[in-house]
Amino acid sequence: MEEKRKTDFIRDIIESDLASGKHSEIITRFPPEPNGYLHIGHAKSICTNFGIAEEYRGRCNLRFDDTNPVKEETEFVEGMMEDIRWLGFQWDELHYASDYFQKMYELAVILIEMGLAYVCDLSAEEIRNYRGTLTEPGKNSPYRDRSVEENLDLFRRMKEGEFPAGSRTLRAKIDMASPNMNMRDPAIYRIVHHSHHRTGDSWRIYPMYDFAHCLEDSIERVTHSLCTLEFEDNRPLYDWYLEKLDMFRSRQIEFARLNLNYTVVSKRYLRRLVEENFVDGWDDPRMPTLCGMRRRGIPPEAIRKFCSVIGLAKRNSTVDIALFESCIRDELNAKAPRVMSVIDPVRLVVENYPEDRTESFDYTVNPEDESQGIRKVPFTRELYIERGDFMEDPPRKYHRMGPGREVRLRYAYLVTCTGFEKDENGRITEIRCVYDPESSGGNAPDGRKVRGTIHWISSENAREAEVRLYDRLFAQENPLKTEEGGDFTDSLNPDSLKVARGCLVEEHMVSRPGGYTCQFERHGYFCVDPESTPERPVFNRTITLKDSWARQQKR
């Protein structure tokens, strides 16, 4: 059965353009600024631009908007490339804004020659004062009527580095009374004395984003320039530049950005979290960055599914993070192999089981995927179980282990607790039990019902590991909505990371490579951290089996 094609307002426009013959091939682009790492908000734009190009058998370019040398680094370029590939996409052509610096300069000169641009000596503060307000028109700069010859000379000298940084700008001559503030003589170029990560010290002037972006789209003959809603008011300026310069007219279309509750995606705030050591780098698994999500073990398929589910809209809204987490669980549940692990172990001795005996039980690797098969897990006299699966004086409805109570050891036997030991601090150090030899596989031969089932790990098969229990980074639904005088960091969740050492995992897990994902039975989904080694294995919790956060909020 043929899969039904998605529909939304962007695809409707593309379908119309193809049907009318306006375009025979769809070309999109993803144009990040390399001043940080990509985050979940970028993922929506990546999936939109690359996904639509794939869907219509077109092309999608990756273009780095490197017009601000002060904040941009090669590190971020390389990180973004890795993230895009990890998400499952590959660009058709790789470009940089800096590829076009000479061409952009020449086009700016043409605007000057047409009388549509001028060099302005006003400071940034003076420009703001001259700009007016939403209800009041702006005032013309006193430098607006400079002659073409003077503007050409000054602009050339700006390029040659003759003037101090920030002392002059090249501005478009449009309309200081326009109701659209972006059309009130916007800056085209500014002076920046800073080495560029690609062009070095070749340039002393750099184009503004609004000027550069439309030219890049046009040069690359991008048919549909898909961007988020904050650029909607910039579209008239985008069109103005292309019209005046008589260039190929790319069509800018805006869609709602991705906003998640309990999440901050602004690079400005993310940079603060990193630089002020609230997190351990851009790839901290609590961060909404794609590299952080990769380190946490979130599958790229889950991110793509999430972006598909929320779709494309014309109005901004906030998506419940529970929907994203549901996509993660669905993907991991279908694919992640199951393993035994004990995060807070206590020894369990099966007193009537022979000391020198080891037997193996069949263990279903993934009940959701029979193709992953069955493996063997060893069972011995000495085991480990979760400390939380035993209570010295359990209440009536407690269905796990307690003195005199019978429980099922998953896949193995039914056991009954006969006693326990404590240390001088009252902490349980050992639990004793006896097993029913006739209950192999965990089934009672006489049909008696045993309600409690707990997982375990054999001492023969157990290896120590560090387990990092990650949770949401922010405790408030809207982290940026703080009390008066507060800061968004006041919203940080103090329990976003708990480190458990001395945990036990199956022996085969300690040699798994970084990024390997699995389900720790009854605990959740985990992945091997890139820092993990066989001598010091480290596992990161990707997500719990169920939405424990929702239950906490109801208490």
Side-chain angles (χ1 to χ4, degrees), residues 346-352 383 385-387 389-394 398-409 413-422 428-436 448 450 452 454:
V346 62
R347 183 184 297 109
L348 177 68
V349 177
V350 187
E351 294 178 303
N352 61 334
L383 311 169
I385 64 171
E386 287 290 345
R387 187 173 300 278
D389 282 342
F390 175 84
M391 287 187 72
E392 183 178 350
D393 185 19
Y398 183 80
H399 299 304
R400 284 170 278 178
M401 184 170 280
R405 295 203 175 190
E406 186 175 40
V407 297
R408 177 181 295 101
L409 295 180
Y413 291 106
L414 299 178
V415 297
T416 302
C417 177
T418 57
F420 56 90
E421 302 290 337
K422 293 183 180 181
I428 303 292
T429 57
E430 181 179 288
I431 303 167
R432 298 186 300 277
C433 67
V434 293
Y435 84 110
D436 179 352
R448 67 184 182 272
V450 178
I454 64 176

Side-chain angles (χ1 to χ4, degrees), residues 72-89:
E72 296 154 3
E73 299 177 21
T74 301
E75 171 193 346
F76 300 136
V77 169
E78 294 172 349
M80 289 177 174
M81 288 181 174
E82 183 179 2
D83 288 341
I84 294 168
R85 291 191 186 101
W86 173 70
L87 267 184
F89 297 107

Side-chain angles (χ1 to χ4, degrees), residues 8-15 17 22-23 26 28-29 45 48-49 52 213 217 222-232 235 238-239 250-256 312-314:
D8 52 59
F9 73 100
I10 291 180
R11 287 176 170 84
D12 288 345
I13 292 171
I14 290 174
E15 294 275 3
D17 287 347
K22 181 178 180 180
H23 300 296
I26 301 303
T28 62
R29 83 292 167 268
S45 183
T48 299
N49 281 284
I52 284 178
H213 186 68
D217 283 348
V222 169
T223 58
H224 298 83
S225 182
L226 311 178
C227 57
T228 46
L229 279 176
E230 60 263 38
F231 296 103
E232 185 173 23
R235 193 198 321 151
Y238 181 102
D239 293 336
S250 302
R251 180 172 183 177
Q252 178 174 303
I253 308 173
E254 307 85 14
F255 59 90
L312 296 170
K314 295 183 179 182

